[in-house]
Amino acid sequence: MHSRVSNHEASNKQIGCKGELRKIKKKKNKSEARDQQLKKKEFESFTVENGKLEELIKYLIAGYRQVPATDLQKQEISVDLSYSHPNFDVKDEEQGMNSEVQGNVEELDGIELDDLRDDLVPKKVTNPENSLIIEPNSIAEFLLKIDEDVASNVDFSDYMICFNGEQKTIGRYSFPISLVPTVERIMKAYGDVSASSLMSTNITGKIYLLFCATIKEMEDLELHQVTQTKMLKWRDAIKDALRVNFKVEFAMLHLKKVARAYFGGIGEQVLLSINEKLNSLYKERAKALEGFKDFLANAKDFDGQSVSTGLFP
């Protein structure tokens, strides 16, 4: 009797173990199927993203090649820009594509399309030194402003120059000692620019001082220190001098050159930033290739075909 009970208990234990094994096996099969499905989706996503990336890289390179031919006064600028100097920072140079960027453009893969576009082309560029944000299409608009005839808004307080103290008379006008070297350089290069004006020195005196102060600031500042506000002040001073018949066209021509150089320097910084990010992408691509290179050929075997391809000789 005792023997039959023992055998019955042993039989129940065996049945219980087999049931547990079946449950474990069933869970394992579900887990493997789920993993395979995830891998399949990842592979499909990888393939789609690769195709999109190839198109984007071709677009970026085509756009880059057109940069040297761009006329800032005739063409809208769709990329925001800041000057290539240590005090400027691109958020979000005239240099070519960095020589370190090697390989076929079509070989980049595995990057999110939207992320790449956001990373490579900044939507705004800030100049921390001048607290300036350059918006799209603002370049052409600003260059037009340089030629605008508007009410003057420039005064002595706009310059970091002492207009008081000891004075020196040059021609019909008196100048503060701080401006004398600048006035002498102007006269040596262009003669007496005020000679053609028939107006009283009481009227033109301030205009002449502000014009000379503008030229002095141009002498004192480097390009990365120039701001749009500063250039508009310079425009007003030069325009005022032209209105009273001073022969200072040379100054307006130079201001336009400064304005274009200002934006050109910003463009250099944007191109440098893009080159650096492209370098980083190529390095990332090399690492990805190292991890997948043993499997890429296998994937191509099934490109556009069922996975039974090769199964039957």
Side-chain angles (χ1 to χ4, degrees):
M1 180 66 178
H2 179 72
S3 176
R4 286 199 298 273
V5 171
S6 297
N7 290 335
H8 180 71
E9 291 177 350
S11 177
N12 287 339
K13 288 181 178 180
Q14 290 178 349
I15 293 172
C17 288
K18 290 180 179 179
E20 290 298 323
L21 288 173
R22 281 196 295 271
K23 289 180 181 179
I24 293 173
K25 187 175 181 180
K26 188 175 182 180
K27 289 181 179 179
K28 182 179 180 182
N29 290 337
K30 287 183 177 179
S31 177
E32 290 177 349
R34 192 162 49 247
D35 289 343
Q36 289 177 355
Q37 189 66 22
L38 287 173
K39 290 179 179 179
K40 181 180 178 181
K41 289 181 178 180
E42 289 177 357
F43 181 80
E44 291 174 349
S45 175
F46 180 87
T47 302
V48 172
E49 291 294 344
N50 182 56
K52 291 179 179 179
L53 179 62
E54 289 178 356
E55 293 179 3
L56 177 62
I57 294 299
K58 289 177 181 178
Y59 168 80
L60 288 173
I61 297 302
Y64 174 85
R65 288 170 179 165
Q66 294 175 4
V67 169
T70 299
D71 187 332
L72 295 179
Q73 290 182 307
K74 296 180 180 179
Q75 182 173 333
E76 289 188 351
I77 307 300
S78 59
V79 178
D80 298 339
L81 310 168
S82 182
Y83 179 63
S84 58
H85 187 277
N87 292 333
F88 288 74
D89 177 40
V90 175
K91 291 182 181 179
D92 106 288
E93 275 173 281
E94 191 169 38
Q95 284 185 331
M97 292 293 289
N98 193 307
S99 59
E100 295 179 5
V101 179
Q102 299 177 352
N104 194 320
V105 169
E106 285 79 2
E107 292 179 352
L108 287 173
D109 49 31
I111 310 296
E112 289 289 341
L113 180 63
D114 292 337
D115 291 342
L116 180 66
R117 184 181 289 111
D118 291 341
D119 287 343
L120 285 182
V121 184
K123 294 180 180 178
K124 287 184 180 180
V125 178
T126 61
N127 171 347
E129 180 76 16
N130 302 324
S131 299
L132 172 67
I133 295 181
I134 299 174
E135 298 286 353
N137 305 322
S138 65
I139 298 177
E141 293 175 5
F142 182 81
L143 292 176
L144 290 176
K145 283 184 179 181
I146 294 294
D147 264 331
E148 281 184 341
D149 280 316
V150 296
S152 180
N153 188 33
V154 62
D155 208 341
F156 293 125
S157 59
D158 295 314
Y159 298 88
M160 298 295 293
I161 295 171
C162 178
F163 292 92
N164 299 319
E166 185 180 352
Q167 304 281 309
K168 180 177 180 179
T169 300
I170 301 177
R172 296 184 296 158
Y173 299 88
S174 293
F175 299 92
I177 295 300
S178 59
L179 285 180
V180 169
T182 300
V183 176
E184 291 176 343
R185 276 191 288 273
I186 293 173
M187 296 193 73
K188 182 178 180 180
Y190 301 101
D192 185 357
V193 297
S194 70
S196 56
S197 178
L198 301 178
M199 291 187 179
S200 168
T201 56
N202 293 329
I203 298 174
T204 58
K206 179 180 179 180
I207 293 174
Y208 203 177
L209 286 175
L210 293 177
F211 172 78
C212 292
T214 292
I215 302 303
K216 178 171 173 52
E217 278 200 338
M218 289 183 179
E219 292 179 306
D220 293 342
L221 298 181
E222 295 183 11
L223 189 57
H224 72 276
Q225 296 172 301
V226 174
T227 66
Q228 290 189 27
T229 299
K230 179 67 69 179
M231 286 189 285
L232 291 179
K233 294 294 184 182
W234 292 348
R235 173 205 65 187
D236 287 352
I238 296 171
K239 287 279 189 179
D240 284 346
L242 287 170
R243 290 187 185 105
V244 296
N245 205 30
F246 279 23
K247 298 300 182 181
V248 294
E249 291 82 0
F250 66 90
M252 181 55 68
L253 290 174
H254 188 75
L255 177 57
K256 292 177 180 179
K257 182 178 179 180
V258 171
R260 293 180 66 85
Y262 171 85
F263 290 112
I266 292 172
E268 287 180 345
Q269 180 63 21
V270 168
L271 293 177
L272 176 62
S273 177
I274 292 175
N275 287 343
E276 290 174 347
K277 289 172 183 176
L278 284 174
N279 278 334
S280 177
L281 285 174
Y282 275 107
K283 291 177 182 177
E284 184 176 339
R285 185 260 174 199
K287 290 181 181 179
L289 178 61
E290 184 64 26
F292 288 104
K293 65 180 181 180
D294 294 334
F295 312 104
L296 294 177
N298 299 113
K300 289 181 179 179
D301 290 341
F302 295 98
D303 189 16
Q305 304 182 62
S306 71
V307 292
S308 68
T309 301
L311 179 62
F312 304 103

